[in-house]
Amino acid sequence: DRFVGVGKLPENIDHFLRHSPFMALHRNTAPVLLLHCDGDLLRNALKAAASVARQNAPVTFTFDDSTSTIFIGAGGGDYPRGEWYVPCEYGHRAGPDSVTTMGVNAEFAADGANAIEGDVTIEINGALRPMLMTSSDRGGFDARYVLMPIRI
């Protein structure tokens, strides 16, 4: 078993997650935005974004359902700027004006994507609410990674 983080996993992780106060408060039955991405493309884009973004600076995730892509931007100002496009499949979108752009820490986002094997599913409930990244592949290791947004 793999575990990313510090500490020891509870013996019954499903029971723990079901009864977690975080999951009760932040886990909706239908997220505002649900995306399925190719894991390798997302990991490569986030790795590159983390190398361009200055320390602790957010990268922006912009979700464009007209082109079915996630736009990832990093840097700017006096620093080098990088832009990456990751094709994705929209599983659900609550409305045309739902979340379109959010900021996240580049290194944390790259760590989360690297912890997940295979394709990645992203659930978003608001620009300032936590993003949940999980494995889209049901046959392998079922990883969950919570990514906190940064106000941009």
Side-chain angles (χ1 to χ4, degrees):
D1 288 318
R2 286 187 352 185
F3 179 60
V4 177
V6 178
K8 185 177 177 184
L9 276 175
E11 287 185 31
N12 186 344
I13 190 72
D14 290 326
H15 180 269
F16 173 78
L17 289 173
R18 248 189 331 273
H19 293 89
S20 166
F22 176 82
M23 297 302 273
L25 290 173
H26 298 287
R27 178 94 169 151
N28 293 344
T29 55
V32 171
L33 188 57
L34 179 67
L35 308 161
H36 304 285
C37 310
D38 179 279
D40 291 332
L41 292 176
L42 183 63
R43 282 186 281 280
N44 290 337
L46 288 171
K47 182 179 177 182
S51 69
V52 171
R54 64 181 192 269
Q55 186 176 7
N56 296 326
V59 295
T60 57
F61 273 63
T62 302
F63 308 99
D64 184 1
D65 54 348
S66 65
T67 60
S68 296
T69 58
I70 300 174
F71 166 77
I72 300 171
D78 295 337
Y79 296 91
R81 173 117 180 110
E83 299 175 347
W84 299 268
Y85 294 89
V86 178
C88 61
E89 182 180 311
Y90 280 75
H92 173 75
R93 188 173 180 99
D97 295 327
S98 56
V99 181
T100 55
T101 302
M102 68 186 301
V104 297
N105 181 293
E107 291 180 26
F108 294 161
D111 288 346
N114 286 328
I116 297 170
E117 296 176 359
D119 292 344
V120 177
T121 297
I122 298 174
E123 293 182 31
I124 299 165
N125 287 309
L128 296 176
R129 308 260 333 245
M131 175 193 304
L132 179 64
M133 295 171 41
T134 59
S135 173
S136 296
D137 300 334
R138 291 292 162 214
F141 181 73
D142 188 21
R144 294 180 181 105
Y145 191 85
V146 176
L147 190 59
M148 300 303 291
I150 298 174
R151 190 178 300 271
I152 51 174

